[in-house]
C-alpha cells in the first residue's frame, strides 16, 4: 500500500512539473541551479593553421604626422634661398602639391627692399611656375612701375621680390584652408628672414591672416602695421582692382605711402 502511494505521489509530482513546462529529463538527480558558482566559459584555443587564425584583427590607426612641426624643422634647416626652395619642393604634407603642375616659389630680385606676399598661384602661375604672371600680375607690375620699381630692376632700391603664402594652386582657385596655411607659414617666415626686405606688402586677406593674424583687407589697407619684425602695408589684391577699377585710386595712395616709407628707412 505504501509503495502504491509513493508511485501515485511521484506521478502527481511529474505531472505538476510538466504543467510548469519541464518536459525534458536531463539527470537522475535534481540540481539546484541557484547553488552553483558561476564559472566563465573556457577560451577556445585556435591552432595557427585554423581558418579563424587568419581573420585580420582591427589595428589602431597610426597617428597622423605633425606636418606643421615637420615644416618648422625643414624651414629652420634652410640656410639660403636655394635650400629653402629644395625644402619646399620636398615637403609632402600639403595635399595641394598633388594637384599642382609646378611649385611656385618666388620671382624678382632677392636683394629687393620690398617683398610682396600674395595668396596662392592661379592657373597662369601654376603653368608658368612664377607668381603674379596673369592679368593680376601684369597690373601689379604696372602699379609698381608707376613708382619706379619692378621685379626686373637690377638695383635693390628699385627692385621688388614676389612670393605667395601657398606655393601650390588650390583647386578652382579656392581660398587656402587654415591647415594648409599653417603648414606653409614656417616656410614663408623663413623666406622673409632670408630675403630680409625693408618692408612687406601683403596683397589680400590670406597674407594678412598669415602675417598679422587677422583679416579684413578693405579696412586694413593703407594702414601701416608691424609683422615678423618688419613694417607691413596691407593692400587690395590686383585681381580685386580688376573687378573694381574705382579702387585703383586707393591703391595709388598705398603705393605713394610705400615709396615714402622707403625714403624714411634709408
Amino acid at each position: 500500500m505504501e509503495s502504491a502511494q509513493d508511485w501515485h505521489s511521484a506521478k502527481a509530482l511529474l505531472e505538476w512539473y510538466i504543467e510548469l513546462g519541464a518536459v525534458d529529463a536531463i539527470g537522475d538527480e535534481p540540481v539546484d541551479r541557484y547553488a552553483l558558482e558561476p564559472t566563465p566559459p573556457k577560451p577556445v584555443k585556435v591552432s595557427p593553421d585554423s581558418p579563424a587564425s587568419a581573420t585580420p584583427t582591427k589595428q589602431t590607426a597610426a597617428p597622423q604626422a605633425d606636418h606643421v612641426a615637420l615644416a618648422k624643422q625643414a624651414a629652420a634647416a634652410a640656410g639660403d634661398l636655394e635650400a629653402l626652395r629644395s625644402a619646399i619642393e620636398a615637403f609632402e604634407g600639403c595635399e595641394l602639391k598633388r594637384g599642382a603642375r609646378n611649385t611656385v616659389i618666388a620671382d624678382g630680385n632677392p636683394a629687393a627692399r620690398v617683398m610682396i606676399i600674395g595668396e596662392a598661384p592661379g592657373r597662369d602661375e601654376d603653368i608658368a611656375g612664377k607668381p603674379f604672371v596673369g592679368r593680376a600680375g601684369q597690373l601689379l607690375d604696372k602699379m609698381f612701375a608707376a613708382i619706379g620699381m619692378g621685379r626686373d630692376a637690377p638695383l635693390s632700391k628699385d627692385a621688388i621680390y614676389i612670393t605667395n603664402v601657398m606655393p601650390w594652386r588650390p583647386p578652382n582657385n579656392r581660398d587656402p584652408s587654415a591647415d594648409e596655411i599653417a603648414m606653409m607659414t614656417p616656410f614663408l617666415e623663413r623666406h622673409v628672414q632670408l630675403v630680409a626686405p625693408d618692408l612687406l606688402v601683403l596683397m589680400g586677406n590670406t597674407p594678412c591672416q598669415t602675417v598679422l593674424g587677422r583679416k579684413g583687407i578693405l579696412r586694413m589697407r593703407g594702414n601701416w602695421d608691424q609683422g615678423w619684425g618688419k613694417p607691413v602695408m596691407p593692400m587690395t589684391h590686383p585681381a580685386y582692382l580688376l573687378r573694381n577699377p574705382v579702387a585703383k585710386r586707393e591703391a595709388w595712395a598705398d603705393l605713394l605711402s610705400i615709396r615714402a616709407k622707403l625714403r624714411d628707412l634709408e
Side-chain angles (χ1 to χ4, degrees), residues 60-90:
T60 303
Q64 189 175 15
D66 187 344
H67 297 305
V68 176
L70 294 175
K72 289 180 179 179
Q73 294 174 3
D80 54 32
L81 290 176
E82 189 59 36
L84 181 66
R85 172 182 288 273
S86 298
I88 294 173
E89 290 176 341

Side-chain angles (χ1 to χ4, degrees), residues 156-212:
S156 60
K157 69 180 184 67
D158 301 326
I160 59 175
Y161 184 79
I162 309 171
T163 189
N164 283 312
V165 174
M166 305 303 301
W168 301 292
R169 180 192 181 193
N172 300 316
N173 292 337
R174 65 162 171 78
D175 292 338
S177 69
D179 288 343
E180 291 164 349
I181 293 173
M183 289 180 205
M184 304 314 299
T185 296
F187 293 112
L188 178 61
E189 188 168 6
R190 183 59 177 154
H191 205 161
V192 172
Q193 292 171 354
L194 292 172
V195 174
D198 288 346
L199 59 86
L200 301 175
V201 177
L202 307 181
M203 291 287 187
N205 273 319
T206 296
C208 287
Q209 177 67 44
T210 304
V211 178
L212 300 176

